Amino acid sequence: MIRGFSIRNLFARHEALLALVILLEVILFQALGRNFLTGGNVSNIFRHSVEIGLLALVMTPVILSGGIDLSVGSMMGLCAVVFGMLVKSSGLDPLSAACIAVCVGGLGGALNAGLIQRFKMPPLIVTLGTFSLFRGLAEALTKGSESYSGFSNGFLALGNSEIAGVPAQVWILAAAGFAVWFLVHRTTFGRSLRAIGYAPEGARYAGLPVGRTLGAAYVLAGAAAGLAAVILVARLGEARANAGTGYELLAITAVVLGGVSIFGGSGNVAGVALGWLALAILNNGLTRISDYEIMGEKISGVARELSGMLTGLLLLAALAVSAGTKTLALRRAAKQTAANTAPSP
Amino acid sequence: MIRKTLLLATALLALSSCRKTEDAGKTTVGFLLKSKGNQYFVTCEKGARAAAAELDIDLRVDGPISADPAKQNEIVENWITDGLDVIVAACENKDSISTALRKAQAAGIKVVTYDADAQEDARSFFANQATAKGIGEKLIDTAAEQMGGEGEFAIITGTLTSANLNLWIEAIKARQAEKYPNMKLVDVRPCDDQKDKAQQEATNLLSAHPNLKAIVAVCSPAVPGAAEAVKQAGKTGAVKVVGLGLPSENRAYIKEGVTQAIILWNPEDLGYLAVQAGVALAKGDLSKGAQTFGAGKLGELKVEGDSIILGEPVVFTKGNIDDFDF
């Protein structure tokens, strides 16, 4: 009882930490950057990170179950190419083509899940394989150089227009965020995921449908990668085999920064959303700082070069602080228990 | 803890109110590179900065660190937010960047492209580094000079289906037939844009045509490839090597005397021209239908349709190659 309470407390603290990070980022970039807190730029922050946000959201159930999916970025490349081909070569309408792209993503996810369960292979290895497989397939389909463009304005609006002052694709992300939150925190599916993440064998003995639950998590991840690909194509106006390169690692970074244990079992969607937001603001904010001065020396160009380094530092620092407070809390709890159980004089 | 944070926040907010403000009157130009690490674009940037200093404008230079189709669009979208006056862009991905550039135009920003063009409706002018005719003729003139205007020569190209390389080869053939009747083109070989394949092809050419006097390499990997073959065959100086390539890739061979000359436009001039054109466009000094454009120190340049032609390529030889570091 006491332990459960302190762990909940801990999560609250991790999210508070992230909120603090976000606040500091906003203040810092507003102070040093150009046009940071303007309507246009805030739109850009969200618009440019929707794809990674979608991937991070669906990566959460996968990681909660103790797995990982390295193939989602490559899956985006494959789905983008499939979508482009269907619209430009086969003359399909964008909506049907988008549905097929999402299905292709789901199928890819099913392939991951099937391999993981049928052959009892670790998710890391399986998705490392499909990471190359999906991207390779996309490159083979386009011979590496072909790309598709010239989409209708109606379709491009998905990536470039605003609805009620908010970029169109952000509404999709918000809906997906709510759906994943509900799935993870309000359904037996979500509970099963955590149980599997804590103890896969225990979950099996408890009679949970381990196979079905894991399968659903990977299919969801693949399908969301398909959706992210369609949104990316709508934003760029071009479908190419290299779409989404490296996005899987950014999504995993957001999830882990959000406080989800990489070993599975614990974490929540709100934390992931905050982790994603912290990264999105960092990446945008650094591009707002241009022609800056460090100790009297004028540096031309923008600070984007620092983005990789700062992302890494942020992740490591957040995890270190989180781990530090966890150790502290456990020690305090142990002391408390010792005091409580000490024989009275 | 919370009180400290609030204090810090207030301090930073106070700081934010005194950040530097921009010069309101100055024209602001965004100069977009294909990638930042590429020495070619670093040289373009040098020219752009020179033009900015001359014209007294605010220049912002940005580009992806490595080729990334989404990053260029994001940079352009950020510039739209900032309300820049002009965007000057080298386009990595013709179709995707055009989406963003059209948005910029809709927001009233003037757009000029350089080095690699966008779609025609996504920009007003393209600063064109060279025409096919200009490149082809310069190559054959340089080769003819080295060969004394007579003898056999061969061409190594990228692929036999490459559209722009074939145009250059056509220009070479036409010029040779017209001006150098004593020269004879014996073969055109593809190297698939690979240096080692070019070396192999050059070795074959050397043994198949013992009277060969020159190899003309029209794609950049073929120049060092051909040079290596000539060097290994011990024919340095006897068989001349000329081609289109980067000084940095050919410096050693040129200094050894294996490669006699390479040609390329000057990227610094290209960046300079592109910024000049962008600013002129914003000021109304350049508009559709212009026949010529006065580009500062580069003088009066020809405008063909909506391409501003940079002019003749530069010839790099032992004498001047150390002046260029790209």
Side-chain angles (χ1 to χ4, degrees):
Chain A
M1 189 66 200
I2 287 173
R3 189 159 171 266
F5 178 74
S6 77
I7 283 176
R8 264 181 70 177
N9 214 357
L10 208 67
F11 287 136
R13 209 171 290 169
H14 187 83
E15 276 135 39
L17 181 73
L18 284 174
L20 187 69
V21 167
I22 290 172
L23 182 71
L24 285 177
E25 281 180 348
V26 169
I27 293 167
L28 195 70
F29 291 132
Q30 175 65 9
L32 302 175
R34 235 189 278 246
N35 300 335
F36 177 68
L37 277 184
T38 57
N41 190 53
V42 173
S43 278
N44 280 350
I45 293 177
F46 285 97
R47 194 197 297 281
H48 295 161
S49 50
V50 159
E51 297 86 7
I52 289 171
L54 271 175
L55 295 185
L57 278 173
V58 293
M59 188 70 80
T60 307
V62 170
I63 293 183
L64 277 176
S65 77
I68 198 152
D69 190 345
L70 296 178
S71 72
V72 285
S74 303
M75 180 53 92
M76 276 181 73
L78 178 59
C79 291
V81 166
V82 167
F83 175 82
M85 277 182 154
L86 287 173
V87 175
K88 298 316 290 183
S89 305
S90 316
L92 211 62
D93 66 294
L95 186 64
S96 318
C99 292
I100 294 176
V102 170
C103 292
V104 168
L107 275 177
L111 176 69
N112 281 335
L115 289 171
I116 289 165
Q117 281 161 31
R118 170 67 52 140
F119 301 106
K120 300 268 182 285
M121 286 197 280
L124 184 77
I125 307 296
V126 169
T127 59
L128 188 63
T130 51
F131 163 85
S132 294
L133 179 70
F134 296 153
R135 180 77 63 198
L137 212 53
E139 283 164 355
L141 283 173
T142 56
K143 296 169 197 75
S145 61
E146 251 171 87
S147 70
Y148 305 92
S149 62
F151 297 101
S152 67
N153 284 333
F155 171 66
L156 295 180
L158 168 66
N160 295 294
S161 68
E162 306 201 331
I163 299 173
V166 174
Q169 64 266 55
V170 173
W171 290 107
I172 298 180
L173 179 69
F178 179 75
V180 171
W181 172 81
F182 189 81
L183 210 58
V184 168
H185 296 292
R186 290 287 180 275
T187 63
T188 45
F189 170 77
R191 273 178 193 288
S192 313
L193 275 175
R194 279 159 214 260
I196 294 167
Y198 268 128
E201 284 313 307
R204 217 179 288 274
Y205 284 124
L208 290 177
V210 174
R212 229 188 308 148
T213 310
L214 285 184
Y218 285 92
V219 169
L220 188 67
L227 181 61
V230 173
I231 292 174
L232 183 69
V233 172
R235 174 155 71 86
L236 298 181
E238 183 179 46
R240 202 177 258 258
N242 62 0
T245 305
Y247 281 23
E248 64 283 331
L249 293 183
L250 292 169
I252 293 169
T253 304
V255 173
V256 176
L257 183 61
V260 177
S261 162
I262 197 72
F263 303 112
S266 74
N268 66 53
V269 176
V272 172
L274 289 173
W276 162 76
L277 193 59
L279 291 181
I281 293 176
L282 182 68
N283 276 317
N284 173 282
L286 288 173
T287 68
R288 305 274 91 206
I289 303 178
S290 58
D291 297 316
Y292 51 103
E293 277 181 30
I294 293 179
M295 289 183 279
E297 187 149 346
K298 201 159 185 257
I299 305 207
S300 57
V302 296
R304 183 179 304 108
E305 288 73 26
L306 305 176
S307 132
M309 185 185 87
L310 290 178
T311 303
L313 285 178
L314 179 63
L315 180 68
L316 294 176
L319 293 183
V321 168
S322 206
T325 48
K326 199 175 200 165
T327 322
L328 219 66
L330 284 178
R331 208 173 289 162
R332 205 175 293 160
K335 216 181 263 175
Q336 197 103 42
T337 328
N340 285 348
T341 51
S344 47
Chain B
M1 171 78 179
I2 289 171
R3 196 172 301 167
K4 263 188 200 160
T5 313
L6 281 177
L7 264 175
L8 186 66
T10 328
L12 280 168
L13 271 178
L15 189 89
S16 75
S17 57
C18 63
R19 78 199 137 121
K20 67 172 180 188
T21 47
E22 285 181 66
D23 280 329
K26 274 193 188 179
T27 307
T28 315
V29 178
F31 191 74
L32 183 62
L33 315 174
K34 268 194 192 177
S35 77
K36 275 185 172 172
N38 188 336
Q39 200 56 40
Y40 175 87
F41 284 102
V42 172
T43 314
C44 287
E45 181 187 336
K46 226 160 124 189
R49 291 203 181 276
E54 233 171 74
L55 296 166
D56 190 30
I57 55 156
D58 254 350
L59 188 77
R60 283 207 227 156
V61 182
D62 203 355
I65 293 165
S66 55
D68 179 342
K71 268 285 172 324
Q72 276 207 325
N73 280 47
E74 288 169 19
I75 292 167
V76 170
E77 280 170 13
N78 283 335
W79 279 344
I80 297 172
T81 311
D82 287 351
L84 261 58
D85 302 300
V86 182
I87 289 176
V88 177
C91 309
E92 172 74 36
N93 241 348
K94 185 174 183 155
D95 294 315
S96 65
I97 192 74
S98 296
T99 314
L101 290 178
R102 269 186 220 109
K103 256 202 261 181
Q105 284 185 322
I109 300 173
K110 301 288 182 199
V111 177
V112 170
T113 52
Y114 71 99
D115 188 65
D117 202 2
Q119 284 167 356
E120 281 180 18
D121 64 333
R123 48 85 178 147
S124 303
F125 284 95
F126 170 49
N128 191 345
Q129 56 270 43
T131 59
K133 195 160 171 279
I135 291 176
E137 291 183 352
K138 196 69 166 184
L139 274 172
I140 187 70
D141 287 351
T142 311
E145 196 189 318
Q146 295 294 335
M147 296 164 68
E150 55 171 27
E152 293 181 355
F153 72 103
I155 292 176
I156 298 182
T157 183
T159 60
L160 296 175
T161 53
S162 167
N164 62 337
L165 298 186
N166 283 346
L167 284 175
W168 300 351
I169 293 172
E170 282 313 309
I172 289 176
K173 284 181 180 165
R175 178 80 154 194
Q176 184 253 316
E178 181 200 335
K179 273 193 78 177
Y180 310 107
N182 295 330
M183 282 167 65
K184 189 178 169 220
L185 175 61
V186 292
D187 211 346
V188 179
R189 300 298 308 161
C191 74
D192 298 335
D193 274 324
Q194 285 167 8
K195 190 188 154 195
D196 50 351
K197 178 96 189 288
Q199 188 180 334
Q200 188 60 45
E201 289 292 348
T203 305
N204 293 344
L205 283 170
L206 290 174
S207 46
H209 305 282
N211 294 326
L212 199 68
K213 282 183 77 179
I215 295 175
V216 178
V218 298
C219 69
S220 67
V223 196
E228 188 58 40
V230 167
K231 188 178 160 186
Q232 287 187 7
K235 294 193 171 175
T236 298
V239 177
K240 318 285 187 190
V241 178
V242 301
L244 180 113
L246 287 168
S248 57
E249 288 178 346
N250 296 288
R251 200 179 312 268
Y253 293 114
I254 287 184
K255 289 195 167 174
E256 281 178 54
V258 185
T259 301
Q260 276 65 37
I262 54 166
I263 69 158
L264 194 68
W265 48 91
N266 185 343
E268 197 173 331
D269 289 345
L270 183 61
Y272 179 88
L273 165 63
V275 170
Q276 284 276 358
V279 174
L281 191 64
K283 288 187 174 156
D285 297 340
L286 172 66
S287 50
K288 292 265 175 196
Q291 296 294 311
T292 58
F293 171 60
K297 67 173 182 191
L298 298 177
E300 207 68 22
L301 299 179
K302 220 165 98 188
V303 181
E304 287 176 5
D306 39 25
S307 288
I308 306 166
I309 312 296
L310 179 61
E312 290 223 331
V314 185
V315 181
F316 300 93
T317 59
K318 217 181 231 175
N320 67 354
I321 194 155
D322 278 339
D323 301 340
F324 301 90
D325 58 355
F326 58 89

